[in-house]
Amino acid sequence: MATPLVDWFRREGRDLPWRRAGFPAWGTLVSEIMLQQTQVARVVPRLEQWLTRWPTPAALAADPPSEAVRAWDRLGYPRRALALHAAATAIVERHGGVVPSDVDDLLALPGIGDYTARAVAVFAYGLRHPVVDVNVRRVLARAVLGDGEAGPASAKRDLPLMESVLPADLEGAAATNAAVMELGALVCVSRAPACDVCPIADRCAWRAAGYPSHDGPRAPKQARFAGSDRQVRGLIMAELRASDVPVTVDEIVMVWPDGVQRARALASLLRDGLAAGDDTAGYTLPGH
């Protein structure tokens, strides 16, 4: 499976900053965190701005976390900005400002999970590890297992399955990781996969079986954004990012009419460390 996939990827893969020669490991780490649940088109300009301002972990660690949250702007899930700042600080303190290549060292950084650690080790340093995201799981489920959906994530199943399709050589393994991920993003998509242009259509178990319907457990779906606590959190965060002085409780009241939901959202921001303050002093970004 690897050979046709890599050939296809080298012809059809998108020209993205983190795939270019010489792209720094710090940039790979930043891009992987930004790409979590966020579209590539939204990440690219923000990534370029981020790396211009903070080209190294030390540069980010030298600024307060409030600046990271402010620069995150509207990428969503702003806890990722705090995680990046905490990771940068740990990289400076533990690794002399150099992003580590070892998966265990990466996992020991604040806010870095298994996928991100493996992605940095593979895509920044060329090491041989299986890298599995939602797109990879879907391709493997279809092409190898003959199932139309991947179902819930399972590291015990997914990592060995990806390992089984990786070539032995480092370059081939890294290219295969990227190719499977790209195929899931562009061709083997969740709805209406483009099987007519798929480079491994002739060896896809799902296609050979006649595209049977998925009858197993399904991966959980994200709740609707409109009217959710996530939306209210985002509105409050927008107020905090836009202000250089503490935002008063009366100003926060104006962002959402439902007082119970608004209070719940604000409390969750305080609990997550994304906001600081109280009704008397007003509210600010963390470390402001």
Side-chain angles (χ1 to χ4, degrees):
M1 193 167 89
T3 299
L5 270 174
V6 172
D7 289 344
W8 168 84
F9 178 67
R10 287 174 175 157
R11 294 192 313 269
E12 306 293 340
R14 292 168 290 180
D15 177 23
L16 299 172
W18 47 89
R19 291 178 178 165
R20 296 170 190 162
F23 195 72
W26 168 240
T28 301
L29 177 59
V30 174
S31 69
E32 289 296 344
I33 291 179
M34 286 187 171
L35 285 164
Q36 295 168 12
Q37 297 180 291
T38 305
Q39 295 174 332
V40 168
R42 296 182 60 209
V43 166
V44 170
R46 185 68 60 204
L47 174 67
E48 292 174 350
Q49 293 168 9
W50 189 283
L51 294 180
T52 297
R53 181 173 181 181
W54 295 304
T56 64
L60 177 59
D63 277 346
S66 59
E67 288 303 301
V69 175
R70 197 185 305 276
W72 199 258
D73 197 20
R74 300 173 67 183
L75 275 181
Y77 301 97
R79 278 179 290 183
R80 294 181 292 169
L82 287 182
L84 258 178
H85 188 276
T89 302
I91 290 168
V92 171
E93 294 173 348
R94 303 174 194 172
H95 303 285
V98 178
V99 176
S101 60
D102 182 77
V103 168
D104 288 338
D105 287 342
L106 287 160
L107 283 170
L109 298 175
I112 303 301
D114 189 67
Y115 165 78
T116 302
R118 290 171 177 274
V120 171
V122 171
F123 300 134
Y125 291 109
L127 302 182
R128 190 183 183 281
H129 299 284
V131 182
V132 178
D133 70 353
V134 64
N135 291 318
V136 170
R137 290 196 301 108
R138 184 168 56 252
V139 171
L140 294 175
R142 290 172 175 172
V144 181
L145 302 179
D147 198 341
E149 294 183 25
S154 169
K156 290 183 178 180
R157 176 199 64 208
D158 300 334
L159 291 175
L161 191 58
M162 186 62 195
E163 170 73 29
S164 72
V165 305
L166 292 182
D169 65 293
L170 295 180
E171 183 179 356
T176 301
N177 273 306
V180 175
M181 200 172 293
E182 189 79 337
L183 189 77
L186 300 182
V187 175
C188 194
V189 294
S190 181
R191 297 181 181 180
C195 299
D196 56 327
V197 297
C198 177
I200 56 170
D202 62 343
R203 60 200 74 191
C204 174
W206 187 47
R207 182 172 183 263
Y211 304 110
S213 299
H214 177 73
D215 59 2
R218 299 180 182 275
K221 292 185 178 181
Q222 188 176 63
R224 187 183 62 174
F225 177 75
S228 67
D229 284 6
R230 283 178 52 221
Q231 182 183 15
V232 184
R233 282 166 56 101
L235 292 171
I236 296 172
M237 287 298 297
E239 290 292 318
L240 302 183
R241 283 194 305 267
S243 179
D244 292 325
V245 298
V247 176
T248 68
V249 66
D250 289 338
E251 290 172 318
I252 289 179
V253 165
M254 298 296 292
V255 306
W256 194 254
D258 185 332
V260 173
Q261 188 177 23
R262 186 179 62 245
R264 185 170 64 239
L266 177 58
S268 70
L269 291 173
L270 293 167
R271 185 171 59 250
D272 291 343
L274 288 166
D278 53 43
D279 286 358
T280 302
Y283 295 91
T284 66
L285 295 175
H288 182 77

